[in-house]
PDB file of all heavy atoms in Angstrom:
ATOM      1  N   MET K   1       0.842  -1.185   0.000  1.00  0.00           N
ATOM      2  CA  MET K   1       0.000   0.000   0.000  1.00  0.00           C
ATOM      3  C   MET K   1       0.883   1.243   0.000  1.00  0.00           C
ATOM      4  O   MET K   1       1.914   1.289   0.663  1.00  0.00           O
ATOM      5  CB  MET K   1      -0.882  -0.032   1.238  1.00  0.00           C
ATOM      6  CG  MET K   1      -1.996   0.957   1.145  1.00  0.00           C
ATOM      7  SD  MET K   1      -2.807   1.103   2.710  1.00  0.00           S
ATOM      8  CE  MET K   1      -3.194  -0.565   3.053  1.00  0.00           C
ATOM      9  N   ASN K   2       0.460   2.229  -0.735  1.00  0.00           N
ATOM     10  CA  ASN K   2       1.271   3.426  -0.824  1.00  0.00           C
ATOM     11  C   ASN K   2       0.761   4.473   0.161  1.00  0.00           C
ATOM     12  O   ASN K   2      -0.205   5.181  -0.077  1.00  0.00           O
ATOM     13  CB  ASN K   2       1.209   3.964  -2.261  1.00  0.00           C
ATOM     14  CG  ASN K   2       2.298   4.979  -2.488  1.00  0.00           C
ATOM     15  OD1 ASN K   2       2.838   5.520  -1.521  1.00  0.00           O
ATOM     16  ND2 ASN K   2       2.604   5.230  -3.753  1.00  0.00           N
ATOM     17  N   HIS K   3       1.404   4.598   1.298  1.00  0.00           N
ATOM     18  CA  HIS K   3       0.918   5.501   2.354  1.00  0.00           C
ATOM     19  C   HIS K   3       1.114   6.955   1.999  1.00  0.00           C
ATOM     20  O   HIS K   3       0.459   7.815   2.554  1.00  0.00           O
ATOM     21  CB  HIS K   3       1.621   5.180   3.673  1.00  0.00           C
ATOM     22  CG  HIS K   3       1.119   3.906   4.283  1.00  0.00           C
ATOM     23  ND1 HIS K   3      -0.052   3.833   4.987  1.00  0.00           N
ATOM     24  CD2 HIS K   3       1.611   2.652   4.249  1.00  0.00           C
ATOM     25  CE1 HIS K   3      -0.252   2.591   5.386  1.00  0.00           C
ATOM     26  NE2 HIS K   3       0.740   1.857   4.944  1.00  0.00           N
ATOM     27  N   GLU K   4       2.044   7.250   1.110  1.00  0.00           N
ATOM     28  CA  GLU K   4       2.325   8.645   0.787  1.00  0.00           C
ATOM     29  C   GLU K   4       1.157   9.338   0.103  1.00  0.00           C
ATOM     30  O   GLU K   4       1.051  10.539   0.109  1.00  0.00           O
ATOM     31  CB  GLU K   4       3.567   8.720  -0.106  1.00  0.00           C
ATOM     32  CG  GLU K   4       4.857   8.633   0.687  1.00  0.00           C
ATOM     33  CD  GLU K   4       5.947   7.904  -0.091  1.00  0.00           C
ATOM     34  OE1 GLU K   4       5.737   7.708  -1.305  1.00  0.00           O
ATOM     35  OE2 GLU K   4       6.946   7.542   0.510  1.00  0.00           O
ATOM     36  N   LEU K   5       0.260   8.559  -0.486  1.00  0.00           N
ATOM     37  CA  LEU K   5      -0.886   9.155  -1.174  1.00  0.00           C
ATOM     38  C   LEU K   5      -1.964   9.594  -0.190  1.00  0.00           C
ATOM     39  O   LEU K   5      -2.900  10.277  -0.553  1.00  0.00           O
ATOM     40  CB  LEU K   5      -1.483   8.161  -2.169  1.00  0.00           C
ATOM     41  CG  LEU K   5      -0.619   7.883  -3.396  1.00  0.00           C
ATOM     42  CD1 LEU K   5      -1.263   6.814  -4.245  1.00  0.00           C
ATOM     43  CD2 LEU K   5      -0.404   9.154  -4.189  1.00  0.00           C
ATOM     44  N   LEU K   6      -1.865   9.179   1.071  1.00  0.00           N
ATOM     45  CA  LEU K   6      -2.891   9.503   2.047  1.00  0.00           C
ATOM     46  C   LEU K   6      -2.485  10.725   2.848  1.00  0.00           C
ATOM     47  O   LEU K   6      -1.362  10.829   3.311  1.00  0.00           O
ATOM     48  CB  LEU K   6      -3.094   8.316   2.998  1.00  0.00           C
ATOM     49  CG  LEU K   6      -3.544   7.011   2.339  1.00  0.00           C
ATOM     50  CD1 LEU K   6      -3.394   5.865   3.326  1.00  0.00           C
ATOM     51  CD2 LEU K   6      -4.969   7.144   1.868  1.00  0.00           C
ATOM     52  N   SER K   7      -3.411  11.615   3.008  1.00  0.00           N
ATOM     53  CA  SER K   7      -3.090  12.777   3.820  1.00  0.00           C
ATOM     54  C   SER K   7      -3.394  12.475   5.282  1.00  0.00           C
ATOM     55  O   SER K   7      -4.065  11.496   5.587  1.00  0.00           O
ATOM     56  CB  SER K   7      -3.892  13.977   3.338  1.00  0.00           C
ATOM     57  OG  SER K   7      -5.260  13.708   3.491  1.00  0.00           O
ATOM     58  N   PHE K   8      -2.912  13.335   6.191  1.00  0.00           N
ATOM     59  CA  PHE K   8      -3.017  13.021   7.610  1.00  0.00           C
ATOM     60  C   PHE K   8      -4.439  13.121   8.137  1.00  0.00           C
ATOM     61  O   PHE K   8      -4.778  12.523   9.128  1.00  0.00           O
ATOM     62  CB  PHE K   8      -2.097  13.957   8.406  1.00  0.00           C
ATOM     63  CG  PHE K   8      -0.665  13.593   8.222  1.00  0.00           C
ATOM     64  CD1 PHE K   8       0.175  14.360   7.428  1.00  0.00           C
ATOM     65  CD2 PHE K   8      -0.161  12.443   8.830  1.00  0.00           C
ATOM     66  CE1 PHE K   8       1.488  14.000   7.254  1.00  0.00           C
ATOM     67  CE2 PHE K   8       1.163  12.084   8.642  1.00  0.00           C
ATOM     68  CZ  PHE K   8       2.000  12.865   7.847  1.00  0.00           C
ATOM     69  N   ASP K   9      -5.283  13.924   7.461  1.00  0.00           N
ATOM     70  CA  ASP K   9      -6.644  14.063   7.999  1.00  0.00           C
ATOM     71  C   ASP K   9      -7.577  12.950   7.517  1.00  0.00           C
ATOM     72  O   ASP K   9      -8.740  12.928   7.852  1.00  0.00           O
ATOM     73  CB  ASP K   9      -7.224  15.441   7.657  1.00  0.00           C
ATOM     74  CG  ASP K   9      -7.149  15.716   6.172  1.00  0.00           C
ATOM     75  OD1 ASP K   9      -6.545  14.869   5.445  1.00  0.00           O
ATOM     76  OD2 ASP K   9      -7.672  16.729   5.721  1.00  0.00           O
ATOM     77  N   GLN K  10      -7.053  12.045   6.737  1.00  0.00           N
ATOM     78  CA  GLN K  10      -7.886  10.910   6.304  1.00  0.00           C
ATOM     79  C   GLN K  10      -7.564   9.704   7.156  1.00  0.00           C
ATOM     80  O   GLN K  10      -6.409   9.454   7.485  1.00  0.00           O
ATOM     81  CB  GLN K  10      -7.575  10.554   4.846  1.00  0.00           C
ATOM     82  CG  GLN K  10      -8.399  11.336   3.865  1.00  0.00           C
ATOM     83  CD  GLN K  10      -8.172  10.792   2.468  1.00  0.00           C
ATOM     84  OE1 GLN K  10      -7.060  10.376   2.146  1.00  0.00           O
ATOM     85  NE2 GLN K  10      -9.211  10.798   1.657  1.00  0.00           N
ATOM     86  N   PRO K  11      -8.627   8.948   7.493  1.00  0.00           N
ATOM     87  CA  PRO K  11      -8.326   7.710   8.235  1.00  0.00           C
ATOM     88  C   PRO K  11      -7.596   6.716   7.328  1.00  0.00           C
ATOM     89  O   PRO K  11      -7.854   6.665   6.135  1.00  0.00           O
ATOM     90  CB  PRO K  11      -9.705   7.180   8.631  1.00  0.00           C
ATOM     91  CG  PRO K  11     -10.680   7.864   7.730  1.00  0.00           C
ATOM     92  CD  PRO K  11     -10.058   9.123   7.242  1.00  0.00           C
ATOM     93  N   ILE K  12      -6.713   6.024   7.921  1.00  0.00           N
ATOM     94  CA  ILE K  12      -5.972   5.028   7.152  1.00  0.00           C
ATOM     95  C   ILE K  12      -6.779   3.727   7.157  1.00  0.00           C
ATOM     96  O   ILE K  12      -7.173   3.244   8.223  1.00  0.00           O
ATOM     97  CB  ILE K  12      -4.587   4.776   7.768  1.00  0.00           C
ATOM     98  CG1 ILE K  12      -3.765   6.060   7.689  1.00  0.00           C
ATOM     99  CG2 ILE K  12      -3.854   3.638   7.064  1.00  0.00           C
ATOM    100  CD1 ILE K  12      -2.464   5.988   8.446  1.00  0.00           C
ATOM    101  N   PRO K  13      -7.106   3.186   5.980  1.00  0.00           N
ATOM    102  CA  PRO K  13      -7.905   1.941   5.964  1.00  0.00           C
ATOM    103  C   PRO K  13      -7.149   0.797   6.632  1.00  0.00           C
ATOM    104  O   PRO K  13      -5.943   0.638   6.436  1.00  0.00           O
ATOM    105  CB  PRO K  13      -8.132   1.665   4.471  1.00  0.00           C
ATOM    106  CG  PRO K  13      -7.167   2.517   3.749  1.00  0.00           C
ATOM    107  CD  PRO K  13      -6.742   3.621   4.642  1.00  0.00           C
TER     108      PRO K  13
END
Side-chain angles (χ1 to χ4, degrees):
Chain K
M1 194 191 306
N2 195 341
H3 286 280
E4 279 146 13
L5 290 176
L6 299 167
S7 62
F8 287 106
D9 54 354
Q10 272 188 325
I12 296 171

